[in-house]
Amino acid sequence: MSEVDSLTRRPPFMEKSMHSLIRLSIVAVVALGVAAQSWAQTWPHKPIRTLMNVPPGSAVDVIVRIFSAPLGEALGQPLLLDYRAGGAGNIGVEAVVKSAPDGYTLLASAGGTMVINSHLYKLNFDMGADLEPVAATARPSIFLVVRAGLPVRSVAELIAYARANPGKLNFGSPGSGTGLHIAAEMMLRMAKVQATHVTYKGAAQMLTDLLGNQIDFMFDPGPAIPHIKSGKLRLLAAANTARSAIFPDTPTMSEAGLDVDVGLYHGVYAPAGTPRAIVARLNREIVRIMHTQEARAALTLIAAEPVIASAEEFAEHQRRVRERFGVVVREANIRAE
C-alpha cells in the first residue's frame, strides 16, 4: 500500500459506521414516506378552514361558495369559511403561510394578489416558495372596453387613434398595480403609445365614468357586460388566451395583434409542504366540481370559466404570469398606492 493510500483510506470501523448511517437514513426516509402516505389516507378527519383574503360578496367568495359544499360532501368534512381581507390581500395569505401544512388550512384568492403583490410590497414571506398551488378554480374574463363615442371599433383603430392624438387618451383602473392596470400598461408598451392612467377606489365609479365619457377605455372583469350588450359601451377584445364564451365573436388581444394575455386565475392554495397526496386529491375534486353544469352556470354570472389544470400545471402557470407581470411592473415603474 502506498503512503497516499494509507493516508486516504478509511479505517474499517469508519467504513462500518458509514454503511450503518446510510442504512439508517434509508430506513428513515422510507418510514417518513409511509407515515405521510398513511396520514394522507386518513385525511381529513376534521373540518377544513378556508381563508379568503377578500371581503364577502367578491368573485372569490362566489367561487368558494360554488365548490365548498360539494367539496365538503366529497371529503366527508365541511369547509369553514374565514374572511381575512385587508392589506391588499396579503393578510390572508400570510395567515395561511404561517399555518401547519397538514391539509386543514386553505387559501382562496384572486390571481392578481398571487402574481403581482410580491412585486409591489415588502412581504414577510415568499409568495412562490411558501405556498402550494392546489387548483385553479376559474379564469375571469377580462375585456378591453371603450366609450361608445370614441371613434374606434378595433384594437388596431384604438392604437392608431392614440398615435394620431398623443396625450389625449386616458384609461381607468381600480388601483395602481392591479391586474387591470397592468393589462393596460402591457397594451400601451407593446403598441408604443401613451395614455393617462386614472385610478379609482373600485370598479363601480370607473364604469360610471366610462359611461359618462370621463375616461376613454378600461380593461373590465365583467361589470360592463350589460352595457356592452345594450350598446352603451363598445367591446374591442378579450385579454385572455381564448375567446370568451359570452362574446365568442370578439377576438382576443393576441388575435388583434397584441400579445396581451392577463392570464389571471382564481385559485386555491395550501401552505408549502402540504402532502402531495392531499394536494392531488383536492385538485381532482375541485376541478371536477367546477366543471359541473351547476358550477358553469354560476360562473357565467360573474363572467368566468372553469379551468382544467393539475396542481403542477397551475403552479407553473402562476410562476410564468408572476414573472411576466414583474417585468411590466419594473419597466413601467408601477408603485402600490
Side-chain angles (χ1 to χ4, degrees), residues 7-60:
L7 290 173
T8 59
R9 185 178 179 183
R10 297 188 184 94
F13 76 89
M14 288 186 65
E15 291 286 348
K16 291 180 180 179
S17 298
M18 287 295 293
H19 287 307
S20 297
L21 286 173
I22 291 172
R23 284 197 298 272
L24 286 172
S25 298
I26 293 172
V27 169
V29 169
V30 171
L32 285 172
V34 171
Q37 184 177 10
S38 175
W39 181 26
Q41 288 173 346
T42 60
W43 173 91
H45 57 77
K46 63 180 181 179
I48 298 168
R49 186 174 56 138
T50 303
L51 274 71
M52 284 176 277
N53 54 359
V54 293
S58 66
V60 172

Side-chain angles (χ1 to χ4, degrees), residues 192-334:
K192 295 183 171 62
V193 296
Q194 293 184 342
T196 301
H197 179 210
V198 181
T199 61
Y200 293 86
K201 292 184 177 180
Q205 186 58 49
M206 178 173 66
L207 180 58
T208 298
D209 279 6
L210 185 64
L211 288 165
N213 299 317
Q214 300 302 306
I215 57 175
D216 298 301
F217 69 90
M218 69 179 190
F219 280 86
D220 172 72
I225 290 175
H227 305 292
I228 294 170
K229 292 182 175 180
S230 69
K232 294 180 180 178
L233 296 175
R234 186 174 299 126
L235 172 61
L236 301 187
N240 296 95
T241 54
R243 293 192 178 196
S244 168
I246 302 171
F247 299 107
D249 295 331
T250 299
T252 64
M253 290 292 295
S254 296
E255 290 174 327
L258 295 176
D259 187 20
V260 180
D261 168 25
V262 179
L264 296 176
Y265 286 175
H266 295 292
V268 174
Y269 302 79
T274 299
R276 297 306 303 169
I278 291 177
V279 171
R281 186 177 178 195
L282 283 168
N283 175 275
R284 186 168 61 251
E285 297 291 357
I286 291 172
V287 170
R288 176 186 62 79
I289 292 166
M290 297 307 295
H291 281 80
T292 61
Q293 185 175 352
E294 296 80 6
R296 285 178 178 275
L299 288 176
T300 299
L301 298 177
I302 58 171
E305 300 173 2
V307 179
I308 296 178
S310 66
E312 292 75 18
E313 290 167 339
F314 180 37
E316 176 59 20
H317 172 273
Q318 295 298 86
R319 185 197 64 77
R320 289 197 311 268
V321 176
R322 185 178 295 114
E323 190 174 275
R324 186 169 77 245
F325 277 26
V327 172
V328 178
V329 169
R330 290 190 296 274
E331 291 184 350
N333 195 30
I334 296 173

Side-chain angles (χ1 to χ4, degrees), residues 122-144:
K122 291 183 179 180
L123 303 176
N124 298 321
F125 54 89
D126 187 316
M127 196 75 79
D130 294 336
L131 286 168
E132 194 79 47
V134 172
T137 53
R139 178 180 63 240
S141 297
I142 307 295
F143 303 110
L144 172 58

